[in-house]
Amino acid sequence: KAGVTQTPRYLIKTRGQQVTLSCSPISGHRSVSWYQQTPGQGLQFLFEYFSETQRNKGNFPGRFSGRQFSNSRSEMNVSTLELGDSALYLCASSPLTGQSPLHFGNGTRLTVT
Amino acid sequence: GQNIDQPTEMTATEGAIVQINCTYQTSGFNGLFWYQQHAGEAPTFLSYNVLDGLEEKGRFSSFLSRSKGYSYLLLKELQMKDSASYLCAVRAGANNLFFGTGTRLTVIP
């Protein structure tokens, strides 16, 4: 069974631009969560989607948004990029919302210059 | 809010035993997880505790005391490949998973 797939692996953007990250969960998994990982803050929860609905949201500004499609694939969008948005963005899937453990993808490394 | 603390770095010798502690303060506790993350790779699930006590899985064991808000991960017979970051995570509130900043373990010969 294929694992969680995130694309692209690396991304370099300029301040003010926007970016879209993609995540394909493990087949059969309907819950997708997004996390931001930085050296100082660790993994910070962004949001969780289940059956195309956002179930939970972390404490991030409205510039961070996401969506989930009917095939459970998910996208995350960050608008008006800031230097502080440079981080590793991790996607994780699980069969049902609130179920564990989470299965993580290898992440997208975003660098904002 | 959630507060999860674990040491930033630890060093241990190959073949030895190391204990990584995690303390937490949270409302609506619903389970504690340990993940391993090698540099440049995805976190991978190690263990899950929801009741007090010790869970053993091969060389790795995890302990939980809910009354003390305390957990530890015990790694036995350390191998060089165990050098990684170990993440403590607490499920709480609306079933969100909150992570500590991780403990970077270095295993030396």
Side-chain angles (χ1 to χ4, degrees), chain A residues 9 35 37 40-43 45 48 56 88 90 98-102 104-106, chain B residues 33 35 37 40-45 48 87 91 94-101:
Chain A
R9 284 298 307 274
Y35 288 83
Q37 187 174 30
Q41 299 293 319
L43 272 83
F45 173 73
E48 180 200 5
N56 295 299
L88 179 66
L90 290 163
Q99 295 289 311
S100 58
L102 297 180
F104 284 88
N106 284 326
Chain B
F33 302 81
Y35 284 82
Q37 186 177 26
E41 297 183 11
T44 55
F45 169 73
Y48 171 62
L87 313 176
R91 188 178 292 282
N95 273 323
N96 295 339
L97 197 59
F98 297 94
F99 285 81
T101 53

Side-chain angles (χ1 to χ4, degrees), chain A residues 24-69:
Chain A
S24 293
I26 291 172
S27 178
H29 285 195
R30 297 170 62 189
S31 172
V32 173
S33 300
W34 288 89
Y35 288 83
Q36 181 194 66
Q37 187 174 30
T38 56
Q41 299 293 319
L43 272 83
Q44 304 271 304
F45 173 73
L46 281 155
F47 27 65
E48 180 200 5
Y49 285 88
F50 179 79
S51 292
E52 303 177 65
T53 302
Q54 187 180 90
R55 288 301 182 98
N56 295 299
K57 190 177 191 306
N59 295 323
F60 278 81
R63 300 185 296 107
F64 291 81
S65 64
R67 59 178 175 168
Q68 186 179 35
F69 302 95

Side-chain angles (χ1 to χ4, degrees), chain A residues 97-111:
Chain A
T97 183
Q99 295 289 311
S100 58
L102 297 180
H103 300 264
F104 284 88
N106 284 326
T108 294
R109 172 76 63 186
L110 172 65
T111 302

Side-chain angles (χ1 to χ4, degrees), chain B residues 22-56:
Chain B
C22 172
T23 58
Y24 64 90
Q25 291 176 307
T26 185
S27 55
F29 176 84
N30 196 22
L32 187 142
F33 302 81
W34 285 95
Y35 284 82
Q36 179 192 61
Q37 186 177 26
H38 285 100
E41 297 183 11
T44 55
F45 169 73
L46 287 178
S47 68
Y48 171 62
N49 296 70
V50 66
L51 300 176
D52 290 353
L54 188 68
E55 294 284 339
E56 296 186 82

